[in-house]
Amino acid sequence: MTRAERTALVIGAGPAGCSAGIHLARTGWRVTIAEAKAFPRIKVCGEFISPAATGELESLLSPGQLGSLGARRVTDLLISEGERELRFRLPSRDAGGAWVLSRAGLDSGLVDQVRSEGVRVLQPSRVSGVAYSDDSIAADIDGEPRRFDIVVHADGAGRHDAPSPSGGPRTTPMRAGVVGRKCHIRLGESPGAATLLMRSAPGAYVGMVGVEGGLATVALVARKGVVARFGRDADSMLRWLWPEYDPDSRASDWLSCGVASSRFIPGAHLRSFRVGNAGGAVEPVGGEGIGLALWSGRALAESLDAHADLAGARREFARRYRRRLRWRRPSCALAAAILERPRLVRAFWPVLGAPVLGGSVVASWCAMTGKPGALAR
């Protein structure tokens, strides 16, 4: 099999799937992406691309392309608890800040870029089954059987992976006892750089950041006890968590989903690979979800390009993925545990911005999650 003959099926056209598709195509693979949903779409997501992923994003969409999609720079992080606020500067590799863009804009922009790279995109198109054999995989796409050399699971869960020979999870586990929710609110036009707001609340944490079109994303993670207290009345729940919220400003329906959280999950067959949340997920408090998705697509393509055999590529990819998660998972889990407990936030408040070994507690946490150090203001 020559490089030009290698074929890959990518299931899912979100950031992980598009990144995998673009980077595989750039290394000589013939790629087909199957996406079940029509774009643009609204999806439960904080819509903040971590400063650790600035380079990953700009390797796929140039700053000019991002600007044309309505993306904005995020230069500041504002942490609040009750009446207290602490502001930090968020430098990126070029000191311009991080990026923020709605998933409707990001997903559509990435799919357009995928097509321009020669990748075939089937959308909306449903994969109903994948059969694995030693020499290929067979996928049923919209009732039509097709064969590929490998399959890349970028659907967030790995629903079509082979059964694990070790009895491990076939789909990505969800964090027990919590729910993620998201909506858009109207802010009015506010040109220039944006601020990421993070608020601590009993049993929950809330993030808000301005996106394009005069809207802001409000995303939260709440324990199920908090959700049960308000039932389907998410507006009342958010007002309890964030008293400044005005329900009349809401511009979209509330969406809900589980919160993925797992160590690296390797594909269960030699020809099966998992990227993004399907491969391993961190707590969303760090804004690492999109960045991890973009990185994993590139890491997979590079691992396959570096090894003539699939087994070697699998070992390389697993090593890189586990190393990527090593400090991010515990650091993000710790931050979430603290933010969900305002008493702990109050206890840590005096040292959050204080100098520690030449930086601050927040700067040290940023370093552990791969971000450039945040500086207290």
Side-chain angles (χ1 to χ4, degrees), residues 45-283:
C45 177
E47 301 182 331
F48 169 77
I49 298 97
S50 161
T54 301
E56 299 291 347
L57 179 60
E58 292 178 4
S59 73
L60 304 176
L61 297 171
S62 70
Q65 288 175 298
L66 289 166
S68 68
L69 291 168
R72 302 172 65 203
R73 290 289 198 172
V74 181
T75 57
D76 284 25
L77 164 66
L78 183 64
I79 300 175
S80 70
E81 188 283 315
E83 299 298 319
R84 302 180 181 189
E85 293 184 345
L86 192 59
R87 184 176 292 270
F88 296 85
R89 179 169 57 85
L90 283 176
S92 65
R93 62 174 186 155
D94 60 0
W99 285 103
V100 62
L101 178 63
S102 72
R103 282 297 299 271
L106 178 62
D107 290 348
S108 297
L110 285 172
V111 167
D112 287 344
Q113 183 64 30
V114 160
R115 290 193 170 105
S116 75
E117 304 262 355
V119 175
R120 184 182 187 189
V121 180
L122 306 176
Q123 183 186 35
S125 192
R126 187 169 298 278
V127 177
S128 57
V130 177
Y132 297 84
S133 63
D134 291 340
D135 61 351
S136 65
I137 67 105
D140 187 301
I141 305 175
D142 295 331
E144 179 183 345
R146 306 180 190 215
R147 288 199 169 271
F148 302 88
D149 293 307
I150 64 170
V151 59
V152 180
H153 303 277
D155 63 347
R159 297 174 184 85
H160 296 289
D161 199 1
S164 172
S166 64
R170 181 170 183 170
T171 58
T172 304
M174 298 289 116
R175 181 183 161 196
V178 299
V179 174
R181 281 185 168 173
K182 176 257 187 77
C183 75
H184 286 127
I185 63 173
R186 298 181 189 86
L187 278 185
E189 292 297 336
S190 51
T195 296
L196 172 64
L197 310 176
M198 293 295 300
R199 184 174 182 86
S200 169
Y205 61 86
V206 187
M208 184 177 78
V209 68
V211 292
E212 67 270 24
L215 300 177
T217 299
V218 176
L220 62 89
V221 173
R223 297 179 196 166
K224 288 185 177 178
V226 175
V227 175
R229 174 177 175 180
F230 295 94
R232 296 185 178 182
D233 189 356
D235 284 330
S236 293
M237 182 178 71
L238 184 56
R239 287 194 69 180
W240 179 71
L241 297 172
W242 199 319
E244 296 86 351
Y245 169 63
D246 177 6
D248 291 336
S249 68
R250 182 160 56 82
S252 69
D253 292 337
W254 281 99
L255 300 178
S256 300
C257 71
V259 178
S261 178
S262 75
R263 301 177 187 273
F264 172 65
I265 305 173
H269 188 273
L270 179 67
R271 298 179 179 275
S272 175
F273 297 88
R274 301 168 70 118
V275 294
N277 279 359
V282 298
E283 185 76 27

